[in-house]
Amino acid sequence: MDHSGHGTHLLSVAAMAWSGFTLTALVPGVVGVTRDSPVWERMSLPPGLALPLLVLLHAWVMLGETTGLTPAVSPFLAEAVLLVAGVLFWVPVVARTRHRLGDTGRCLYLFLAAPLLDLPALGVIAAGHSAEGIAMIVGMLPLSLAAAVLTWTWVNREERLASTPGVPGGEGRV
């Protein structure tokens, strides 16, 4: 019995999950650890450009193989382009640059990005690659988790400030 197709399928599923995880957990982790680096200021794009850039490139790379939309490029080149777009996406959220978003902006930015970045997974599933599409969604769950954690942290900070005596508008603002 030939199981070579099964092994290739498992590699494809793992690659999708790893790609999503890299984009939504490893990239923001690296940017976060180096958030004060001057390199991020040079790589900073306005969030209104960074988000659509990532969404479009992500769709192009993820759907390209299954639909034939991408030219025959190395998968490593496609992943590298996606990685750069991922860095540009995370800089306004994590790094300290002129384009850094405030608390409200970061929450909205991430909550808007999560479903937009999951849309290509639906295309992958519709193209008959259910396991790969689901793996992509699971691999990208850290984005939604980051949005939830940022929102929770922001709400708690606002509540603390609202109930702190001596802070303008703080007393009885709960």
Side-chain angles (χ1 to χ4, degrees), residues 40-77:
W40 301 133
E41 187 63 48
R42 287 190 293 274
M43 289 187 68
S44 180
L45 284 181
L49 292 176
L51 175 60
L53 176 69
L54 178 61
V55 168
L56 292 173
L57 285 175
H58 182 256
W60 179 68
V61 170
M62 294 300 140
L63 293 172
E65 290 179 16
T66 54
T67 61
L69 290 174
T70 57
V73 296
S74 162
F76 295 111
L77 178 61

Side-chain angles (χ1 to χ4, degrees), residues 56-139:
L56 292 173
L57 285 175
H58 182 256
W60 179 68
V61 170
M62 294 300 140
L63 293 172
E65 290 179 16
T66 54
T67 61
L69 290 174
T70 57
V73 296
S74 162
F76 295 111
L77 178 61
E79 283 296 319
V81 167
L82 192 55
L83 193 61
V84 169
V87 168
L88 294 171
F89 167 81
W90 282 104
V91 165
V93 176
V94 181
R96 293 189 175 111
T97 68
R98 69 185 178 281
H99 295 299
R100 181 175 171 88
L101 291 164
D103 290 331
T104 307
R106 289 188 295 171
C107 293
L108 292 172
Y109 185 77
L110 294 180
F111 276 118
L112 177 63
L116 292 174
L117 291 171
D118 281 343
L119 283 175
L122 297 177
V124 170
I125 291 168
H129 304 281
S130 299
E132 289 89 341
I134 292 169
M136 183 191 312
I137 291 170
V138 170

